């Protein structure tokens, strides 16, 4: 079932870009994507400026490529003055920071006709952890809702690609490809859908009840995690922030019961619910081809809501179909212990952090979408790139970052090719064009069927509250 | 508050032993205790025989000390034939194995007048994981109940010390010392109790509501855990077995509500309850002086039941006082990931295991009793030995095993000094004599007060079901 693709990327230039490009943030993703941008877009180093709170060890790389950098912390009050004379009509703002509100940057770009891309909808500091905000307001659902309002206000504006990394981002394209493959393999004859409605109807027809973004990261550093240190393969600040947000999931029409701690929001599209607890303390059973079954964390992500929303089928005002969609994340082992440590301190973040890129000695990031409940049970479609292949493809990357920077590149290219689409999420973009650009950087991309269900091996030694009549109910997945 | 003790052990011989000693099992504890036995008991190598399923890399050590070993797996059917001519009146059986039923060995010893010691009540294979046994029957409560029946039948027999390692074992003595210290520090004038009733009344008078066996192991190997491997600082088979048993706790009289998944047994002393779930998936908030607050696992242990039972105060038939007692264990980080992995596979044990002793490069085992609910809040009393000190004190040990082998030694000495006590648990032994023998091997032994409670920093970002009127309710500790 493995989908074979050309895995040697040619240094093909997708297009010429003559404007200015400002990159905000230069952490694991910024450092990882820079060589890719220079490789595949016809752009001169002088056209690029990095603005970042700190360089996170990226000075040498910037100097090697001849990129100017400004070490400055963007805030609500200095945002306009800092960016105003660096960006104008036709320029590009690539936002790869934490703690800078995406909506503030998008508004600025919409007003000035500047193209935009980010990999996550970030709030200003405190947006994730201000106890004066309700749990609902600290959710990604709320962040996305603000973005959707902005989208309404700026219809037909300059293209702003929102939340287009690996996940959120790439996994929306994986989902479409997986649906197409599933149709093929189950004998459902259909043209490739071209509308939101069409995709929803296809998912409905295939009987997809649940979609996990199922990820198992096995990368490891030979230097053990120390007490009081958070170790991860990508942004520690980003991970801790989203881990402290409520667990969230696009909420499927097949679900019979609301989780005891589940809540609906009182505003917005209503495609998702949240649990009254942090994702970092919320686990579900899931599955990937190499790892097999494992427990993953329901860390909230934009794609949980956007994919569920995108695939919703309406009959008039009535919702007749929607899959349950959420993240089921097994970060690298050293992050698992870091999470256990932080959980024990009521989520108070460790003072020290260590982002492992060069020091990773082995492991892979198995990241894909797991479509469940259809005729063939479960189908995982995604990337299984390992650290060695990732490194050989693009310098300054590990297996995790390369899965992010490939879609950052493809999103930039797509935005330049389609500059007047207004504010868009991954689901609204051309999945084929994006996959085409990403594929050379994803290592083995495979589709695998499995007879795994969350009921497998359950209730043998201890009584468990299971719904045996439908394996795909959320309560069967949940680890309690 | 640190209790200073002489930390240089002299090679003092506590007594002469002229009989034969059979050691069953030669894993981390067997290998760790052998040099101690030879150092502190006047015994010749020829008097000792090791019988074990496999030597677990201990061949060199046995040869170095000139100890005969027999590689043989003991079973229900070969037990008598294997041991009969190796043990007689006045000899000593030291059981440091897994998967050999303690009660079978004890019966044999009682019949033959053989002294006995183990560190844990083990069943025959399957006793922990036979789905045909009820959850209650797979508990340590049930194992202990069988032992208590045997104890009744063999009153005044040859001494058999049951469950006398670090925990169970040493921590019972720590508890008594902690009660004495607490009385001293809170101005409660009392002679040191000499009876079970006396100890119970003292704990009651001091207002001790909860006792955690609070342990944080920070030992680490520079070789990362591999996928499909369980890494730990002591018996992996032992840990996985007990982790798959139900979570159990001595159940205090101050508890207002039964946990939703809590159950009483329908037989026995009724001092404890169990949860309808494995300890490996059950966490509580706890505290140790160096680590501070952390999440520990409620792995079932004999001491949770024996200490609670021992400290129970009756008024006629009515129970008027009992503390809640249980283990709150943070194993070494690499075991945490191993547990997460095994949990994801419905507790199916990994094929490979790696017991880390020589390869540990840093870390300590902070193991003590945390007495809570009294006038001064929380008081932790225990050992904080680190790997380097452990190694310098006794070869073939890490910081975990040395805390076990010291009380194995003291238990053997005590049994030899008191050969006609019948079947006894740690709680019934002389805590002063045992502590005296153990202390030189425990590194820093400290008592620390803390204002920590499980309500600290709770309910800030998410609503939580807390009992704010009594911090010491089990439901406040529990991680849900
Ligand atoms: N969609 C995905 O798949 C995906 C994957 C990984 C990361 N991300 C997101 O991408 C972003 C970057 O991730 P990373 O791993 O590179 O993070 P990182 O923590 O490695 O780096 C963050 C960068 O932002 C900068 N920064 C922080 N505050 C700033 C401010 N106020 N002004 C300017 N710069 C500031 C830091 O100095 C640093 O250079 C995060 O938002 C993260 O959540 C998305
Ligand atoms: N009370 C405590 O503080 C404490 C601490 C650590 C270990 N323990 C207990 O001590 C025991 C030994 O622990 P360890 O870390 O040395 O274990 P280990 O896994 O390192 O070694 C177990 C030994 O038992 C032997 N064995 C297994 N099955 C056998 C059989 N059927 N017949 C004969 N021998 C057999 C193995 O070959 C091995 O030598 C376990 O029961 C464990 O739970 C208690």
């Amino acid at each position: 079932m493995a989908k074979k693709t050309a895995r040697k990327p040619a240094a093909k230039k997708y297009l010429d870009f003559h404007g200015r490009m400002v990159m905000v943030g230069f952490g694991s993703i910024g450092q990882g994507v820079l060589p890719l941008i220079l490789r595949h877009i016809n752009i001169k180093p002088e056209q690029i400026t990095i603005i970042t709170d700190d360089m996170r060890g990226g000075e040498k790389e910037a100097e090697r490529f001849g990129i100017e950098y400004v070490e400055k912390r963007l805030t609500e009050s200095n945002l306009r003055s800092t960016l105003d004379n660096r960006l104008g009509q036709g320029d590009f703002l690539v936002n790869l920071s934490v703690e800078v509100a995406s909506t503030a940057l998008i508004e600025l770009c919409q007003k000035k006709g500047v193209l935009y891309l980010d990999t996550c909808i970030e709030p200003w500091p405190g947006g994730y952890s201000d106890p004066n905000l309700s749990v609902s307001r600290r959710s990604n659902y709320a962040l996305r809702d603000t973005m959707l309002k902005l989208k309404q206000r700026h219809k037909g504006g300059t293209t702003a690609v929102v939340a287009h990394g690996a996940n959120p981002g790439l996994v929306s394209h994986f989902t479409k490809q997986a649906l197409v493959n599933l149709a093929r393999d189950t004998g459902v004859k259909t043209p490739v859908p071209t509308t939101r409605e069409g995709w929803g109807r296809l998912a409905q027809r295939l009987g997809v009840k649940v979609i996990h973004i199922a990820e198992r990261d096995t990368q490891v550093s030979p230097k053990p995690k120390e007490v009081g240190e958070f170790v991860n393969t990508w942004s520690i600040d980003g991970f801790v922030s989203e881990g402290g947000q409520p667990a969230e999931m696009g909420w499927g029409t097949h679900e019979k019961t609301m989780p005891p701690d589940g809540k609906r929001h009182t505003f917005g599209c209503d495609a998702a619910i949240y649990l009254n607890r942090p994702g970092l303390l919320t686990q579900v059973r899931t599955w990937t081809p190499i790892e097999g079954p494992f427990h993953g964390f329901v860390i909230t992500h934009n794609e949980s809501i956007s994919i569920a929303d995108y695939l919703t089928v309406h009959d008039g005002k009535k919702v007749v179909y929607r899959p349950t969609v959420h993240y089921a994340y097994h970060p690298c082992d050293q992050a698992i212990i870091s999470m256990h440590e932080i959980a024990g301190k009521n989520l108070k973040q460790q003072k020290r952090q260590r982002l492992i890129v060069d020091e990773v000695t082995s492991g892979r990031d198995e990241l894909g979408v797991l479509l469940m409940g259809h005729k063939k049970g479960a189908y995982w479609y995604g990337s299984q790139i390992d650290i060695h292949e990732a490194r050989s493809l693009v310098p300054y990357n590990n297996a995790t970052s390369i899965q992010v920077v490939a879609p950052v590149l493809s999103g930039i290219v797509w935005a330049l090719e389609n500059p007047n689409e207004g504010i868009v999420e991954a689901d609204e973009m051309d999945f084929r064009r994006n996959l085409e650009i990403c594929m050379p950087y994803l290592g083995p991309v495979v589709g695998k069927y499995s007879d795994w269900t969350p009921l497998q091996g359950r209730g043998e030694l201890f009584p468990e509250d299971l719904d045996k009549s439908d394996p795909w109910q959320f309560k069967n997945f949940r680890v309690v």
Side-chain angles (χ1 to χ4, degrees), chain A:
Chain A
M1 277 304 149
K3 187 166 183 292
K4 300 266 174 279
T5 40
R7 276 160 59 187
K8 285 260 153 71
K12 179 178 171 181
K13 300 284 181 198
Y14 289 109
L15 38 71
D16 300 340
F17 178 59
H18 300 291
R20 293 174 291 180
M21 180 178 280
V22 171
M23 193 184 285
V24 176
F26 199 60
S28 78
I29 305 308
Q31 294 173 27
V33 80
L34 185 59
L36 263 198
I37 290 175
L38 293 167
R39 186 186 292 172
H40 289 295
I41 296 176
N42 222 338
I43 187 174
K44 294 199 193 67
E46 310 86 82
Q47 292 168 256
I48 306 178
T49 311
I50 294 163
I51 302 178
T52 187
D53 185 28
D54 64 275
M55 285 296 283
R56 304 272 159 118
E59 295 83 351
K60 275 206 183 139
E61 183 189 348
E63 279 154 27
R64 172 180 158 192
F65 289 118
I67 308 289
E68 183 201 353
Y69 60 86
V70 181
E71 282 195 281
K72 183 166 185 176
R73 183 174 182 76
L74 293 183
T75 63
E76 247 179 297
S77 53
N78 72 14
L79 191 69
R80 183 158 287 277
S81 64
T82 310
L83 295 177
D84 238 355
N85 59 356
R86 296 184 193 272
L87 287 168
Q89 177 85 33
D91 291 339
F92 210 122
L93 174 59
V94 180
N95 173 22
L96 302 170
S97 64
V98 295
E99 302 214 324
V100 182
S102 302
T103 47
L105 290 174
I106 294 173
E107 274 206 286
L108 187 119
C109 288
Q110 289 299 314
K111 282 188 190 139
K112 296 175 75 96
V114 172
L115 292 152
Y116 174 90
L117 176 140
D118 65 29
T119 60
C120 157
I121 309 179
E122 281 275 320
W124 288 116
Y128 291 135
S129 56
D130 180 350
N132 297 318
L133 292 175
S134 69
V135 178
S136 166
R137 280 289 158 198
R138 293 196 311 266
S139 68
N140 271 337
Y141 180 95
L143 286 167
R144 179 171 181 264
D145 190 63
T146 312
M147 184 278 295
L148 290 179
K149 292 211 172 92
L150 214 58
K151 179 185 168 88
Q152 285 309 318
R153 278 215 300 282
H154 295 281
K155 267 196 177 158
T158 309
T159 299
V161 175
V162 173
H164 201 267
N167 57 320
L170 179 61
V171 293
S172 290
H173 310 313
F174 279 168
T175 300
K176 287 182 181 169
Q177 186 64 57
L179 288 170
V180 169
N181 296 356
L182 200 51
R184 177 197 65 204
D185 298 343
T186 55
V188 170
K189 288 216 184 326
T190 172
V192 173
T194 51
T195 61
R196 170 175 169 150
E197 247 227 310
W199 285 108
R201 287 203 185 284
L202 177 56
Q204 178 184 31
R205 199 169 148 202
L206 294 168
V208 174
K209 288 179 173 168
V210 179
I211 302 177
H212 284 180
I213 319 307
E215 176 173 6
R216 169 64 161 119
D217 180 352
T218 60
Q219 291 166 95
V220 73
S221 156
K223 182 163 176 252
K225 168 189 151 11
E226 289 174 9
V227 172
E229 183 187 46
F230 201 115
V231 177
N232 198 19
T233 52
W234 61 281
S235 180
I236 285 118
D237 295 328
F239 187 24
V240 171
S241 294
E242 65 185 32
Q245 287 182 273
E248 291 182 82
M249 51 239 17
W251 195 241
T253 41
H254 75 291
E255 301 286 0
K256 296 179 201 165
T257 45
M258 193 71 168
D261 48 0
K263 292 263 177 216
R264 290 196 176 277
H265 301 272
T266 54
F267 58 92
C269 70
D270 203 37
I273 63 166
Y274 66 96
L275 305 184
N276 243 324
R277 51 186 292 122
L280 210 129
L281 288 181
T282 308
Q283 294 182 54
V284 287
R285 292 161 179 84
T286 191
W287 184 91
T288 57
I290 297 176
E291 176 65 28
F294 64 92
H295 287 176
F297 290 83
V298 187
I299 304 295
T300 184
H301 263 193
N302 195 69
E303 75 269 21
S304 310
I305 307 156
S306 82
I307 295 176
D309 195 9
Y310 191 79
L311 294 180
T312 300
V313 176
H314 291 88
D315 183 2
K317 288 216 153 183
K318 209 175 154 253
V319 170
V320 293
Y321 167 77
R322 182 188 296 128
T324 289
V325 184
H326 58 83
Y327 197 13
Y329 180 32
H330 190 316
C332 67
D333 284 358
Q334 288 159 330
I336 292 277
I337 330 169
S338 307
M339 289 165 78
H340 181 73
E341 183 174 60
I342 203 177
K345 319 279 184 202
N346 287 313
L347 304 194
K348 196 168 175 307
Q349 192 175 345
Q350 296 91 335
K351 290 225 175 66
R352 284 172 299 132
Q353 53 176 254
R354 178 155 50 99
L355 201 151
I356 52 172
V357 180
D358 291 345
E359 66 187 270
V360 172
T361 46
S362 71
R364 71 164 65 74
D365 203 328
E366 204 181 6
L367 167 66
V369 291
L370 182 65
L371 278 58
M372 292 171 276
H374 48 76
K375 232 178 177 172
K376 293 180 69 113
Y379 179 66
W380 187 91
Y381 181 80
S383 152
Q384 299 176 326
I385 194 164
D386 81 4
I387 180 65
H388 308 293
E389 183 167 359
R391 253 180 211 147
S392 75
L393 291 171
V394 200
Y396 307 108
N397 277 280
N398 60 25
T400 306
S401 66
I402 201 168
Q403 292 170 337
V404 183
V405 303
V408 168
L409 170 71
S410 74
I412 294 172
V413 171
W414 184 87
L416 289 169
E417 289 171 345
N418 302 273
N420 299 306
E421 298 291 322
I423 302 171
V424 294
E425 291 177 295
D427 311 277
E428 300 161 295
M429 294 159 68
D430 178 351
F431 80 106
R432 292 203 150 141
R433 179 63 177 149
N434 276 282
L435 284 181
E436 176 182 53
I437 297 171
C438 292
M439 279 297 182
Y441 294 104
L442 301 177
V445 172
V446 306
K448 293 271 185 201
Y449 289 96
S450 169
D451 61 3
W452 178 83
T453 85
L455 293 179
Q456 237 170 50
R458 297 287 295 286
E460 285 173 7
L461 284 176
F462 294 93
E464 295 191 73
D465 177 18
L466 300 173
D467 184 339
K468 294 198 174 164
S469 70
D470 178 12
W472 313 112
Q473 292 292 311
F474 181 70
K475 84 169 190 186
N476 291 337
F477 289 95
R478 193 162 176 190
V479 179
V480 285

